[in-house]
């Protein structure tokens, strides 16, 4: 007399392979997305220092404008003229009028007029929130 062992029905229905595939795809997606978010931090700027500086976090609704020491403007690693920068800011505000934020990263040696130009563009485009970044270094008293 033979003894037959039956597998439970639930064991046949639940396969872990597709679940593992989905987890790996999500992992790859977030790794790639984090690389794009870090692109704006790659421009070598010497940020001015402040005692109360906090780490920079990037949200998808934040437009990061880098101002190099020579006064040139960069967004997403690409050079933009002042007119192109104004068009980009206005376009982003049109797409996201309530929660668009602009983060201005200016080199410590940048001419002050370049920063004022960016802030003027933000003001005229009615950006709800714009911020200036600094680094957390000790402020020298010269």
């Amino acid at each position: 007399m033979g003894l037959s062992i039956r597998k439970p029905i639930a064991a046949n229905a639940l396969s872990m392979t597709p679940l593992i595939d989905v987890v790996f795809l999500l992992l790859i997606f977030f790794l790639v997305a984090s690389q794009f978010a870090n692109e704006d931090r790659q421009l070598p700027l010497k940020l001015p220092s402040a005692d109360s500086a906090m780490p920079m976090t990037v949200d998808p609704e934040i437009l990061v404008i880098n101002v190099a020491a020579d006064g040139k403007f960069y967004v997403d690693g690409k050079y933009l003229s002042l007119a192109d920068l104004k068009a980009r800011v206005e376009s982003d505000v049109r797409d996201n009028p309530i929660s668009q934020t602009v983060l201005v990263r200016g080199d410590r040696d940048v001419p002050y007029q370049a920063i004022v130009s960016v802030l003027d563009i933000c003001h005229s485009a009615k950006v709800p929130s714009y911020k200036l970044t600094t680094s957390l270094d000790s402020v020298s008293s010269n």
Side-chain angles (χ1 to χ4, degrees), residues 118-130:
V118 173
L119 297 179
D120 186 45
I121 288 172
C122 292
H123 182 71
S124 67
K126 295 184 173 67
V127 174
S129 172
Y130 44 93

Side-chain angles (χ1 to χ4, degrees), residues 14-123:
L14 185 62
S15 175
M16 294 298 287
T17 305
L19 183 64
I20 293 171
D21 289 344
V22 169
V23 169
F24 280 129
L25 286 174
L26 285 172
L27 179 66
I28 290 170
F29 170 77
F30 286 116
L31 287 174
V32 170
S34 68
Q35 284 301 106
F36 288 128
N38 285 330
E39 259 182 24
D40 288 326
R41 297 185 197 182
Q42 300 302 319
L43 192 63
L45 298 177
K46 295 180 277 179
L47 294 174
S49 58
D51 288 333
S52 61
M54 296 175 55
M56 183 174 131
T57 59
V58 177
D59 293 334
E61 298 167 346
I62 292 181
L63 173 65
V64 180
I65 300 173
N66 294 296
V67 185
D70 57 1
K72 292 185 178 177
F73 307 105
Y74 295 89
V75 175
D76 296 330
K78 297 176 189 160
Y79 167 75
L80 294 178
S81 67
L82 195 60
D84 292 337
L85 180 64
K86 183 174 182 173
R88 171 68 188 266
V89 170
E90 289 173 348
S91 170
D92 284 7
V93 170
R94 225 177 298 116
D95 293 343
N96 189 8
I98 295 173
S99 60
Q100 179 64 52
T101 301
V102 173
L103 188 66
V104 181
R105 294 183 70 234
D107 192 279
R108 73 174 65 174
D109 299 325
V110 72
Y112 189 63
Q113 181 59 49
I115 300 295
V116 170
S117 298
V118 173
L119 297 179
D120 186 45
I121 288 172
C122 292
H123 182 71

